[in-house]
Amino acid sequence: MTTTLLTNARLIDPEAEIADLGSLLMADGKILATGAEAEQAAADHVIDCRGLCLAPGIVDIGVKVCEPGERHKESFGTAGASAAAGGVTTIVTRPDTLPSIDNPETLEFVSRRAREDSPVKVLHMAALTKGRDGREMTEIGFLLDAGAVAFTDCDHVVTNTKVLSRALTYARARGALVIGHIQEPGLSAGACATTGKFAALRGLPAASPMAERMGIDRDISLLEMTGAKYHFDQVTTARALPPLERAKKNGLDVTAGVSIHHLTLNEYDVADYRTFFKVKPPLRSEDDRKAVVEAVASGLIDIISSMHTPQDEESKRLPFEEAASGAVALETLLPAAMRLVHAGDLTLPVLFRALSLNPAKRLGLDCGRLAVGAPADLVLFDPDAPFVLDRFKMKSKSKNTPFDSARMQGKVRATWVNGVQVHGAEF
Amino acid sequence: MSFRQNHLLGIEPLAPDEITAILDLAEDYVALNRSDNKNTDVLRGLTQINMFFENSTRTQSSFEIAGQRLGAHVMNMAMQASSIKKGETLIDTALTLNAMHPDLLVVRHPHSGAVDLLSQKVNCAVLNAGDGRHEHPTQALLDALTIRRAKGRLHRLNIAICGDIAHSRVARSNLLLLHKMENRVKLIGPPTLVPSAFAELGCEVYEDMQEGLKGADVVMMLRLQKERMDGGFIPSEREYYHRYGLDQAKLSLAAEDAIVMHPGPMNRGVEIDGTIADDINRSVIQEQVEMGVAVRMAAMELLARNLQERRAAAA
């Protein structure tokens, strides 16, 4: 058994909510000891972390890898490399591929592809309804057996509440987690911006942020009815927070997420119709952004995701209304999130509670923690290192990031998955 | 006083002195257009391409006449019928055209921001002839010239814009321009067509037309698109005319010498009473069309000057 000791690291422990200097001992892909106990140990390899931060690797729910169907945009190889470079040790893929992942055979295909090509752990979500078209539920049981960790139609809202209530009831019986996109589709039809001064000035079709509130209200009603285990993929507006808080207080099994873009950008960043800033739901007002940042700090919003969505240049070099939505973010997730830390909005342990601990817990994984016995999925990063992002240097096949040329602070120095280093210079 | 832009993409980037520069030069062209010899050689040797991705008769012919009177080679491309239908992207179309070395590109497109996008990919001067619901700068400039000539000034006026503000690029460009020149802008219409967000842009928003028209020096009517008339945004054409159609009774609430404007084409009996539209003491609608040619000539001349300066500097 080879043991590796990481010393002189600032250990970011989201469970204990501390970030103190210390050591971590790992072997056989697991964390053997931390703190004083680790320091005493004689290890085969000793790595001096020189005061950098060592945190549990990020668990990113909602990553789009474009296999099957659009491998020219992203493959498991490039998504995995991108994740490793971003400190993401587990990616949880979305089923909004071509065709969608809505049957065990397709799920087996992507599982095999992921095993072959990805340097980081990959888990898969499956569609909740066949073809994600909201009519018939998928084979939830078989898909669970094939390894699906959650069920979602992604940005398609199941508009037929009877279909959704049955799918939720069935999912509850099987203990499956369902992830929903909260949006009233009628109200937000055709919209690519949020109503307000900016959309009015730019002449963009816009939807009221109330569409999100209506979406969450409807889904909470259905959860009271069915008791399913549910996660709201992206809560991005202040108005959706009170219902979320009530639902949690009332004991519903709900959690909420938000994308890194809605935490760090607002509608004005679109500026002169910059399509790399077109995401779904659209970027919100600064007031909404602040409210969701606060909700992450308080723990009301549980999880931060990259919502990594690769798009090629052709789908983005179009008039704003016609351009595809989404942004790649696996590599920029941590540096962008560090903006919130540097701004004093979040502490490092709270940030990693939302990036690693909570998503792992929600999916029933044993990673996401710096605990003895947990897998040695780790990210070592320099929280202060400044850089200017060059999108063409990213590992992702698609380069559609809103942070191109942005000044950022926070660089990943090394990433380990099950104790194996998958990114960074050799020590 | 100078005009410093490479393109005319909207009113938003213009400074007040640039607006004045265009209007002052346009005055010269009004005189020229009224004379027997309407031709100059300001744009001699230059090529102007009109690309209209959306149907237009008035704006397109106005730009065409303006270019011809300035001595440019003017070409119209009917984009509706062309390669766009074959799936070519806007950027590819722009690059193809750019390879033909045009000097002035006049573009209309159904999507907001499309002209801006196109301007980034070509190395000639681009004029926005209307992009989606965003801007229609030459319309605002011709309206400004019409107002200035009728009222003797373009500041401290009480201006009411009535109708479908939400879907109107004309309204957006006008309110931006009128604000830059320090006027009071009032927007009038049903809340389905005048979203409250416009109040944040510094306008006064009125649901009640009588209230909004009080004391107006200029009453600017907007066209109500046919497809928005029934049920979707307003209950019916006749209810709209009853509440928001400009008739004598409503107009009497405006200033005694108020002028009436309309960017055309008009729906008589929907947003405006026919007799008001034809009242030569009130309506400046025909004058607006005349100013359109002059303003476009001025804008193209100023852009061509800057383009030639840029090229000379690069050479």
PDB file of all heavy atoms in Angstrom, chain A residues 196-197 199-205 272-273 317-322, chain B residues 12 90-91 109 111-114 117 133-134 172 176 197-198 200-201:
ATOM      1  N   GLY A 196     -37.473  43.925 -18.011  1.00  0.00           N
ATOM      2  CA  GLY A 196     -36.833  45.001 -17.262  1.00  0.00           C
ATOM      3  C   GLY A 196     -36.221  45.996 -18.216  1.00  0.00           C
ATOM      4  O   GLY A 196     -36.398  45.911 -19.435  1.00  0.00           O
ATOM      5  N   LYS A 197     -35.498  46.917 -17.617  1.00  0.00           N
ATOM      6  CA  LYS A 197     -34.933  48.021 -18.381  1.00  0.00           C
ATOM      7  C   LYS A 197     -34.016  47.527 -19.502  1.00  0.00           C
ATOM      8  O   LYS A 197     -34.062  48.016 -20.624  1.00  0.00           O
ATOM      9  CB  LYS A 197     -34.149  48.899 -17.405  1.00  0.00           C
ATOM     10  CG  LYS A 197     -33.650  50.178 -17.967  1.00  0.00           C
ATOM     11  CD  LYS A 197     -32.955  50.977 -16.862  1.00  0.00           C
ATOM     12  CE  LYS A 197     -32.080  52.055 -17.472  1.00  0.00           C
ATOM     13  NZ  LYS A 197     -31.287  52.754 -16.466  1.00  0.00           N
ATOM     14  N   ALA A 199     -33.852  44.582 -21.167  1.00  0.00           N
ATOM     15  CA  ALA A 199     -34.548  43.945 -22.292  1.00  0.00           C
ATOM     16  C   ALA A 199     -35.342  44.981 -23.079  1.00  0.00           C
ATOM     17  O   ALA A 199     -35.423  44.912 -24.308  1.00  0.00           O
ATOM     18  CB  ALA A 199     -35.461  42.831 -21.786  1.00  0.00           C
ATOM     19  N   ALA A 200     -35.915  45.960 -22.374  1.00  0.00           N
ATOM     20  CA  ALA A 200     -36.687  47.003 -23.059  1.00  0.00           C
ATOM     21  C   ALA A 200     -35.778  47.804 -23.982  1.00  0.00           C
ATOM     22  O   ALA A 200     -36.115  48.078 -25.129  1.00  0.00           O
ATOM     23  CB  ALA A 200     -37.349  47.917 -22.038  1.00  0.00           C
ATOM     24  N   LEU A 201     -34.610  48.130 -23.482  1.00  0.00           N
ATOM     25  CA  LEU A 201     -33.663  48.927 -24.255  1.00  0.00           C
ATOM     26  C   LEU A 201     -33.139  48.163 -25.460  1.00  0.00           C
ATOM     27  O   LEU A 201     -32.994  48.705 -26.551  1.00  0.00           O
ATOM     28  CB  LEU A 201     -32.497  49.312 -23.340  1.00  0.00           C
ATOM     29  CG  LEU A 201     -31.554  50.408 -23.792  1.00  0.00           C
ATOM     30  CD1 LEU A 201     -32.330  51.696 -23.981  1.00  0.00           C
ATOM     31  CD2 LEU A 201     -30.455  50.611 -22.759  1.00  0.00           C
ATOM     32  N   ARG A 202     -32.862  46.876 -25.260  1.00  0.00           N
ATOM     33  CA  ARG A 202     -32.286  46.085 -26.339  1.00  0.00           C
ATOM     34  C   ARG A 202     -33.347  45.513 -27.280  1.00  0.00           C
ATOM     35  O   ARG A 202     -33.029  44.910 -28.292  1.00  0.00           O
ATOM     36  CB  ARG A 202     -31.461  44.934 -25.755  1.00  0.00           C
ATOM     37  CG  ARG A 202     -30.115  45.377 -25.201  1.00  0.00           C
ATOM     38  CD  ARG A 202     -29.139  45.671 -26.338  1.00  0.00           C
ATOM     39  NE  ARG A 202     -27.891  46.207 -25.836  1.00  0.00           N
ATOM     40  CZ  ARG A 202     -27.658  47.492 -25.582  1.00  0.00           C
ATOM     41  NH1 ARG A 202     -28.606  48.386 -25.803  1.00  0.00           N
ATOM     42  NH2 ARG A 202     -26.501  47.900 -25.128  1.00  0.00           N
ATOM     43  N   GLY A 203     -34.614  45.670 -26.919  1.00  0.00           N
ATOM     44  CA  GLY A 203     -35.666  45.144 -27.778  1.00  0.00           C
ATOM     45  C   GLY A 203     -35.663  43.633 -27.869  1.00  0.00           C
ATOM     46  O   GLY A 203     -35.911  43.076 -28.927  1.00  0.00           O
ATOM     47  N   LEU A 204     -35.361  42.967 -26.748  1.00  0.00           N
ATOM     48  CA  LEU A 204     -35.346  41.506 -26.760  1.00  0.00           C
ATOM     49  C   LEU A 204     -36.635  40.966 -26.150  1.00  0.00           C
ATOM     50  O   LEU A 204     -37.118  41.489 -25.143  1.00  0.00           O
ATOM     51  CB  LEU A 204     -34.148  40.984 -25.962  1.00  0.00           C
ATOM     52  CG  LEU A 204     -32.780  41.247 -26.593  1.00  0.00           C
ATOM     53  CD1 LEU A 204     -31.666  40.877 -25.627  1.00  0.00           C
ATOM     54  CD2 LEU A 204     -32.636  40.479 -27.896  1.00  0.00           C
ATOM     55  N   PRO A 205     -37.192  39.903 -26.756  1.00  0.00           N
ATOM     56  CA  PRO A 205     -38.384  39.299 -26.153  1.00  0.00           C
ATOM     57  C   PRO A 205     -38.028  38.767 -24.764  1.00  0.00           C
ATOM     58  O   PRO A 205     -37.054  38.033 -24.608  1.00  0.00           O
ATOM     59  CB  PRO A 205     -38.760  38.168 -27.115  1.00  0.00           C
ATOM     60  CG  PRO A 205     -37.623  38.004 -28.042  1.00  0.00           C
ATOM     61  CD  PRO A 205     -36.793  39.247 -27.996  1.00  0.00           C
ATOM     62  N   ASP A 272     -23.838  44.279 -25.799  1.00  0.00           N
ATOM     63  CA  ASP A 272     -24.261  44.386 -27.192  1.00  0.00           C
ATOM     64  C   ASP A 272     -24.572  43.019 -27.788  1.00  0.00           C
ATOM     65  O   ASP A 272     -23.924  42.579 -28.733  1.00  0.00           O
ATOM     66  CB  ASP A 272     -23.199  45.107 -28.019  1.00  0.00           C
ATOM     67  CG  ASP A 272     -23.134  46.576 -27.661  1.00  0.00           C
ATOM     68  OD1 ASP A 272     -24.198  47.157 -27.376  1.00  0.00           O
ATOM     69  OD2 ASP A 272     -22.026  47.135 -27.649  1.00  0.00           O
ATOM     70  N   TYR A 273     -25.554  42.355 -27.220  1.00  0.00           N
ATOM     71  CA  TYR A 273     -26.034  41.083 -27.770  1.00  0.00           C
ATOM     72  C   TYR A 273     -24.951  40.011 -27.813  1.00  0.00           C
ATOM     73  O   TYR A 273     -24.812  39.315 -28.809  1.00  0.00           O
ATOM     74  CB  TYR A 273     -26.610  41.284 -29.171  1.00  0.00           C
ATOM     75  CG  TYR A 273     -27.691  42.330 -29.243  1.00  0.00           C
ATOM     76  CD1 TYR A 273     -27.421  43.602 -29.714  1.00  0.00           C
ATOM     77  CD2 TYR A 273     -28.987  42.034 -28.840  1.00  0.00           C
ATOM     78  CE1 TYR A 273     -28.413  44.571 -29.780  1.00  0.00           C
ATOM     79  CE2 TYR A 273     -29.991  42.992 -28.909  1.00  0.00           C
ATOM     80  CZ  TYR A 273     -29.696  44.251 -29.376  1.00  0.00           C
ATOM     81  OH  TYR A 273     -30.683  45.198 -29.447  1.00  0.00           O
ATOM     82  N   ARG A 317     -22.821  32.198 -33.328  1.00  0.00           N
ATOM     83  CA  ARG A 317     -22.604  33.367 -34.184  1.00  0.00           C
ATOM     84  C   ARG A 317     -23.873  33.698 -34.954  1.00  0.00           C
ATOM     85  O   ARG A 317     -23.936  33.608 -36.173  1.00  0.00           O
ATOM     86  CB  ARG A 317     -21.457  33.099 -35.156  1.00  0.00           C
ATOM     87  CG  ARG A 317     -20.109  33.163 -34.491  1.00  0.00           C
ATOM     88  CD  ARG A 317     -19.020  33.420 -35.472  1.00  0.00           C
ATOM     89  NE  ARG A 317     -19.155  32.611 -36.690  1.00  0.00           N
ATOM     90  CZ  ARG A 317     -18.341  32.691 -37.724  1.00  0.00           C
ATOM     91  NH1 ARG A 317     -17.354  33.543 -37.696  1.00  0.00           N
ATOM     92  NH2 ARG A 317     -18.505  31.923 -38.779  1.00  0.00           N
ATOM     93  N   LEU A 318     -24.908  34.024 -34.222  1.00  0.00           N
ATOM     94  CA  LEU A 318     -26.214  34.292 -34.807  1.00  0.00           C
ATOM     95  C   LEU A 318     -26.813  35.474 -34.058  1.00  0.00           C
ATOM     96  O   LEU A 318     -26.356  35.817 -32.979  1.00  0.00           O
ATOM     97  CB  LEU A 318     -27.122  33.064 -34.618  1.00  0.00           C
ATOM     98  CG  LEU A 318     -26.786  31.804 -35.420  1.00  0.00           C
ATOM     99  CD1 LEU A 318     -27.609  30.627 -34.918  1.00  0.00           C
ATOM    100  CD2 LEU A 318     -27.058  32.020 -36.903  1.00  0.00           C
ATOM    101  N   PRO A 319     -27.847  36.092 -34.642  1.00  0.00           N
ATOM    102  CA  PRO A 319     -28.550  37.117 -33.865  1.00  0.00           C
ATOM    103  C   PRO A 319     -29.002  36.533 -32.517  1.00  0.00           C
ATOM    104  O   PRO A 319     -29.331  35.345 -32.434  1.00  0.00           O
ATOM    105  CB  PRO A 319     -29.751  37.454 -34.750  1.00  0.00           C
ATOM    106  CG  PRO A 319     -29.307  37.127 -36.134  1.00  0.00           C
ATOM    107  CD  PRO A 319     -28.396  35.945 -35.998  1.00  0.00           C
ATOM    108  N   PHE A 320     -28.990  37.341 -31.478  1.00  0.00           N
ATOM    109  CA  PHE A 320     -29.197  36.863 -30.112  1.00  0.00           C
ATOM    110  C   PHE A 320     -30.411  35.945 -29.964  1.00  0.00           C
ATOM    111  O   PHE A 320     -30.337  34.901 -29.329  1.00  0.00           O
ATOM    112  CB  PHE A 320     -29.325  38.061 -29.164  1.00  0.00           C
ATOM    113  CG  PHE A 320     -29.153  37.694 -27.722  1.00  0.00           C
ATOM    114  CD1 PHE A 320     -27.885  37.520 -27.186  1.00  0.00           C
ATOM    115  CD2 PHE A 320     -30.248  37.502 -26.901  1.00  0.00           C
ATOM    116  CE1 PHE A 320     -27.714  37.162 -25.853  1.00  0.00           C
ATOM    117  CE2 PHE A 320     -30.085  37.151 -25.568  1.00  0.00           C
ATOM    118  CZ  PHE A 320     -28.817  36.984 -25.047  1.00  0.00           C
ATOM    119  N   GLU A 321     -31.525  36.341 -30.575  1.00  0.00           N
ATOM    120  CA  GLU A 321     -32.744  35.537 -30.428  1.00  0.00           C
ATOM    121  C   GLU A 321     -32.594  34.152 -31.029  1.00  0.00           C
ATOM    122  O   GLU A 321     -33.187  33.188 -30.560  1.00  0.00           O
ATOM    123  CB  GLU A 321     -33.925  36.227 -31.121  1.00  0.00           C
ATOM    124  CG  GLU A 321     -34.496  37.381 -30.345  1.00  0.00           C
ATOM    125  CD  GLU A 321     -35.467  38.182 -31.193  1.00  0.00           C
ATOM    126  OE1 GLU A 321     -36.498  37.622 -31.589  1.00  0.00           O
ATOM    127  OE2 GLU A 321     -35.183  39.362 -31.468  1.00  0.00           O
ATOM    128  N   GLU A 322     -31.802  34.064 -32.098  1.00  0.00           N
ATOM    129  CA  GLU A 322     -31.667  32.785 -32.800  1.00  0.00           C
ATOM    130  C   GLU A 322     -30.534  31.936 -32.247  1.00  0.00           C
ATOM    131  O   GLU A 322     -30.489  30.727 -32.494  1.00  0.00           O
ATOM    132  CB  GLU A 322     -31.369  33.045 -34.286  1.00  0.00           C
ATOM    133  CG  GLU A 322     -32.532  33.614 -35.045  1.00  0.00           C
ATOM    134  CD  GLU A 322     -32.200  33.796 -36.528  1.00  0.00           C
ATOM    135  OE1 GLU A 322     -31.044  34.151 -36.840  1.00  0.00           O
ATOM    136  OE2 GLU A 322     -33.092  33.568 -37.351  1.00  0.00           O
TER     137      GLU A 322
ATOM    138  N   GLU B  12     -28.362  55.092 -29.631  1.00  0.00           N
ATOM    139  CA  GLU B  12     -27.729  54.948 -28.325  1.00  0.00           C
ATOM    140  C   GLU B  12     -26.264  55.409 -28.298  1.00  0.00           C
ATOM    141  O   GLU B  12     -25.875  56.132 -27.395  1.00  0.00           O
ATOM    142  CB  GLU B  12     -27.851  53.496 -27.839  1.00  0.00           C
ATOM    143  CG  GLU B  12     -27.661  53.376 -26.349  1.00  0.00           C
ATOM    144  CD  GLU B  12     -27.626  51.924 -25.867  1.00  0.00           C
ATOM    145  OE1 GLU B  12     -27.857  51.016 -26.676  1.00  0.00           O
ATOM    146  OE2 GLU B  12     -27.355  51.733 -24.675  1.00  0.00           O
ATOM    147  N   LEU B  90     -26.281  34.472 -41.299  1.00  0.00           N
ATOM    148  CA  LEU B  90     -26.127  35.910 -41.491  1.00  0.00           C
ATOM    149  C   LEU B  90     -24.655  36.281 -41.665  1.00  0.00           C
ATOM    150  O   LEU B  90     -24.302  37.102 -42.507  1.00  0.00           O
ATOM    151  CB  LEU B  90     -26.715  36.629 -40.270  1.00  0.00           C
ATOM    152  CG  LEU B  90     -26.651  38.145 -40.255  1.00  0.00           C
ATOM    153  CD1 LEU B  90     -27.455  38.739 -41.395  1.00  0.00           C
ATOM    154  CD2 LEU B  90     -27.137  38.688 -38.924  1.00  0.00           C
ATOM    155  N   ILE B  91     -23.796  35.637 -40.875  1.00  0.00           N
ATOM    156  CA  ILE B  91     -22.366  35.941 -40.937  1.00  0.00           C
ATOM    157  C   ILE B  91     -21.800  35.565 -42.300  1.00  0.00           C
ATOM    158  O   ILE B  91     -21.040  36.320 -42.907  1.00  0.00           O
ATOM    159  CB  ILE B  91     -21.609  35.167 -39.835  1.00  0.00           C
ATOM    160  CG1 ILE B  91     -22.118  35.580 -38.459  1.00  0.00           C
ATOM    161  CG2 ILE B  91     -20.112  35.362 -39.962  1.00  0.00           C
ATOM    162  CD1 ILE B  91     -21.656  36.913 -37.980  1.00  0.00           C
ATOM    163  N   HIS B 109     -33.198  43.857 -40.491  1.00  0.00           N
ATOM    164  CA  HIS B 109     -33.266  42.452 -40.103  1.00  0.00           C
ATOM    165  C   HIS B 109     -34.345  42.265 -39.036  1.00  0.00           C
ATOM    166  O   HIS B 109     -34.530  43.136 -38.191  1.00  0.00           O
ATOM    167  CB  HIS B 109     -31.899  41.993 -39.558  1.00  0.00           C
ATOM    168  CG  HIS B 109     -31.739  40.509 -39.500  1.00  0.00           C
ATOM    169  ND1 HIS B 109     -32.283  39.748 -38.483  1.00  0.00           N
ATOM    170  CD2 HIS B 109     -31.121  39.637 -40.325  1.00  0.00           C
ATOM    171  CE1 HIS B 109     -31.990  38.469 -38.699  1.00  0.00           C
ATOM    172  NE2 HIS B 109     -31.288  38.371 -39.811  1.00  0.00           N
ATOM    173  N   HIS B 111     -34.375  40.477 -36.427  1.00  0.00           N
ATOM    174  CA  HIS B 111     -33.940  40.212 -35.060  1.00  0.00           C
ATOM    175  C   HIS B 111     -33.128  41.358 -34.466  1.00  0.00           C
ATOM    176  O   HIS B 111     -32.209  41.879 -35.100  1.00  0.00           O
ATOM    177  CB  HIS B 111     -33.115  38.932 -34.987  1.00  0.00           C
ATOM    178  CG  HIS B 111     -33.931  37.703 -35.226  1.00  0.00           C
ATOM    179  ND1 HIS B 111     -35.100  37.461 -34.554  1.00  0.00           N
ATOM    180  CD2 HIS B 111     -33.763  36.656 -36.063  1.00  0.00           C
ATOM    181  CE1 HIS B 111     -35.613  36.319 -34.966  1.00  0.00           C
ATOM    182  NE2 HIS B 111     -34.827  35.812 -35.890  1.00  0.00           N
ATOM    183  N   SER B 112     -33.443  41.686 -33.227  1.00  0.00           N
ATOM    184  CA  SER B 112     -32.712  42.727 -32.503  1.00  0.00           C
ATOM    185  C   SER B 112     -31.243  42.350 -32.427  1.00  0.00           C
ATOM    186  O   SER B 112     -30.902  41.221 -32.101  1.00  0.00           O
ATOM    187  CB  SER B 112     -33.264  42.862 -31.078  1.00  0.00           C
ATOM    188  OG  SER B 112     -34.638  43.138 -31.099  1.00  0.00           O
ATOM    189  N   GLY B 113     -30.374  43.301 -32.739  1.00  0.00           N
ATOM    190  CA  GLY B 113     -28.941  43.062 -32.594  1.00  0.00           C
ATOM    191  C   GLY B 113     -28.289  42.448 -33.814  1.00  0.00           C
ATOM    192  O   GLY B 113     -27.066  42.346 -33.879  1.00  0.00           O
ATOM    193  N   ALA B 114     -29.081  42.046 -34.813  1.00  0.00           N
ATOM    194  CA  ALA B 114     -28.511  41.365 -35.972  1.00  0.00           C
ATOM    195  C   ALA B 114     -27.608  42.294 -36.787  1.00  0.00           C
ATOM    196  O   ALA B 114     -26.571  41.876 -37.304  1.00  0.00           O
ATOM    197  CB  ALA B 114     -29.620  40.795 -36.852  1.00  0.00           C
ATOM    198  N   LEU B 117     -24.280  42.640 -35.074  1.00  0.00           N
ATOM    199  CA  LEU B 117     -23.485  41.439 -35.319  1.00  0.00           C
ATOM    200  C   LEU B 117     -22.829  41.494 -36.691  1.00  0.00           C
ATOM    201  O   LEU B 117     -21.636  41.223 -36.860  1.00  0.00           O
ATOM    202  CB  LEU B 117     -24.395  40.205 -35.204  1.00  0.00           C
ATOM    203  CG  LEU B 117     -23.795  38.844 -35.537  1.00  0.00           C
ATOM    204  CD1 LEU B 117     -22.759  38.458 -34.480  1.00  0.00           C
ATOM    205  CD2 LEU B 117     -24.888  37.771 -35.574  1.00  0.00           C
ATOM    206  N   ARG B 133     -36.853  44.675 -32.694  1.00  0.00           N
ATOM    207  CA  ARG B 133     -37.531  45.704 -31.901  1.00  0.00           C
ATOM    208  C   ARG B 133     -36.518  46.677 -31.328  1.00  0.00           C
ATOM    209  O   ARG B 133     -36.822  47.421 -30.422  1.00  0.00           O
ATOM    210  CB  ARG B 133     -38.244  45.068 -30.714  1.00  0.00           C
ATOM    211  CG  ARG B 133     -39.082  43.884 -31.042  1.00  0.00           C
ATOM    212  CD  ARG B 133     -39.411  43.201 -29.726  1.00  0.00           C
ATOM    213  NE  ARG B 133     -40.294  42.068 -29.933  1.00  0.00           N
ATOM    214  CZ  ARG B 133     -40.832  41.379 -28.951  1.00  0.00           C
ATOM    215  NH1 ARG B 133     -40.569  41.703 -27.707  1.00  0.00           N
ATOM    216  NH2 ARG B 133     -41.610  40.361 -29.192  1.00  0.00           N
ATOM    217  N   HIS B 134     -35.298  46.624 -31.822  1.00  0.00           N
ATOM    218  CA  HIS B 134     -34.238  47.360 -31.171  1.00  0.00           C
ATOM    219  C   HIS B 134     -34.182  48.829 -31.588  1.00  0.00           C
ATOM    220  O   HIS B 134     -34.671  49.684 -30.875  1.00  0.00           O
ATOM    221  CB  HIS B 134     -32.909  46.641 -31.433  1.00  0.00           C
ATOM    222  CG  HIS B 134     -31.719  47.303 -30.846  1.00  0.00           C
ATOM    223  ND1 HIS B 134     -30.526  47.401 -31.517  1.00  0.00           N
ATOM    224  CD2 HIS B 134     -31.540  47.912 -29.666  1.00  0.00           C
ATOM    225  CE1 HIS B 134     -29.660  48.030 -30.747  1.00  0.00           C
ATOM    226  NE2 HIS B 134     -30.243  48.355 -29.625  1.00  0.00           N
ATOM    227  N   ARG B 172     -38.217  53.141 -29.694  1.00  0.00           N
ATOM    228  CA  ARG B 172     -36.970  53.074 -28.922  1.00  0.00           C
ATOM    229  C   ARG B 172     -35.969  54.117 -29.403  1.00  0.00           C
ATOM    230  O   ARG B 172     -35.403  54.854 -28.622  1.00  0.00           O
ATOM    231  CB  ARG B 172     -36.364  51.680 -29.027  1.00  0.00           C
ATOM    232  CG  ARG B 172     -36.946  50.730 -28.011  1.00  0.00           C
ATOM    233  CD  ARG B 172     -36.331  49.356 -28.124  1.00  0.00           C
ATOM    234  NE  ARG B 172     -37.023  48.456 -27.215  1.00  0.00           N
ATOM    235  CZ  ARG B 172     -38.224  47.951 -27.418  1.00  0.00           C
ATOM    236  NH1 ARG B 172     -38.890  48.256 -28.518  1.00  0.00           N
ATOM    237  NH2 ARG B 172     -38.794  47.155 -26.532  1.00  0.00           N
ATOM    238  N   LEU B 176     -34.774  57.502 -27.227  1.00  0.00           N
ATOM    239  CA  LEU B 176     -33.355  57.699 -26.923  1.00  0.00           C
ATOM    240  C   LEU B 176     -32.896  59.061 -27.444  1.00  0.00           C
ATOM    241  O   LEU B 176     -32.239  59.824 -26.746  1.00  0.00           O
ATOM    242  CB  LEU B 176     -32.512  56.591 -27.552  1.00  0.00           C
ATOM    243  CG  LEU B 176     -32.622  55.206 -26.897  1.00  0.00           C
ATOM    244  CD1 LEU B 176     -31.977  54.136 -27.779  1.00  0.00           C
ATOM    245  CD2 LEU B 176     -31.967  55.211 -25.523  1.00  0.00           C
ATOM    246  N   ALA B 197     -41.466  48.669 -17.755  1.00  0.00           N
ATOM    247  CA  ALA B 197     -40.006  48.808 -17.761  1.00  0.00           C
ATOM    248  C   ALA B 197     -39.576  50.104 -18.445  1.00  0.00           C
ATOM    249  O   ALA B 197     -38.503  50.629 -18.168  1.00  0.00           O
ATOM    250  CB  ALA B 197     -39.364  47.617 -18.463  1.00  0.00           C
ATOM    251  N   PHE B 198     -40.428  50.623 -19.318  1.00  0.00           N
ATOM    252  CA  PHE B 198     -40.057  51.849 -20.020  1.00  0.00           C
ATOM    253  C   PHE B 198     -39.980  53.053 -19.088  1.00  0.00           C
ATOM    254  O   PHE B 198     -39.301  54.028 -19.385  1.00  0.00           O
ATOM    255  CB  PHE B 198     -41.009  52.118 -21.186  1.00  0.00           C
ATOM    256  CG  PHE B 198     -40.661  51.323 -22.404  1.00  0.00           C
ATOM    257  CD1 PHE B 198     -41.178  50.051 -22.598  1.00  0.00           C
ATOM    258  CD2 PHE B 198     -39.786  51.825 -23.344  1.00  0.00           C
ATOM    259  CE1 PHE B 198     -40.829  49.300 -23.697  1.00  0.00           C
ATOM    260  CE2 PHE B 198     -39.433  51.083 -24.456  1.00  0.00           C
ATOM    261  CZ  PHE B 198     -39.953  49.809 -24.627  1.00  0.00           C
ATOM    262  N   GLU B 200     -38.491  52.982 -16.389  1.00  0.00           N
ATOM    263  CA  GLU B 200     -37.107  52.973 -15.905  1.00  0.00           C
ATOM    264  C   GLU B 200     -36.157  53.616 -16.907  1.00  0.00           C
ATOM    265  O   GLU B 200     -35.014  53.903 -16.587  1.00  0.00           O
ATOM    266  CB  GLU B 200     -36.643  51.538 -15.639  1.00  0.00           C
ATOM    267  CG  GLU B 200     -37.364  50.860 -14.493  1.00  0.00           C
ATOM    268  CD  GLU B 200     -36.987  49.388 -14.383  1.00  0.00           C
ATOM    269  OE1 GLU B 200     -35.789  49.082 -14.443  1.00  0.00           O
ATOM    270  OE2 GLU B 200     -37.912  48.554 -14.272  1.00  0.00           O
ATOM    271  N   LEU B 201     -36.612  53.778 -18.151  1.00  0.00           N
ATOM    272  CA  LEU B 201     -35.764  54.430 -19.150  1.00  0.00           C
ATOM    273  C   LEU B 201     -35.963  55.943 -19.122  1.00  0.00           C
ATOM    274  O   LEU B 201     -35.515  56.656 -20.015  1.00  0.00           O
ATOM    275  CB  LEU B 201     -36.077  53.883 -20.548  1.00  0.00           C
ATOM    276  CG  LEU B 201     -35.808  52.397 -20.770  1.00  0.00           C
ATOM    277  CD1 LEU B 201     -36.272  51.968 -22.157  1.00  0.00           C
ATOM    278  CD2 LEU B 201     -34.334  52.098 -20.611  1.00  0.00           C
TER     279      LEU B 201
END
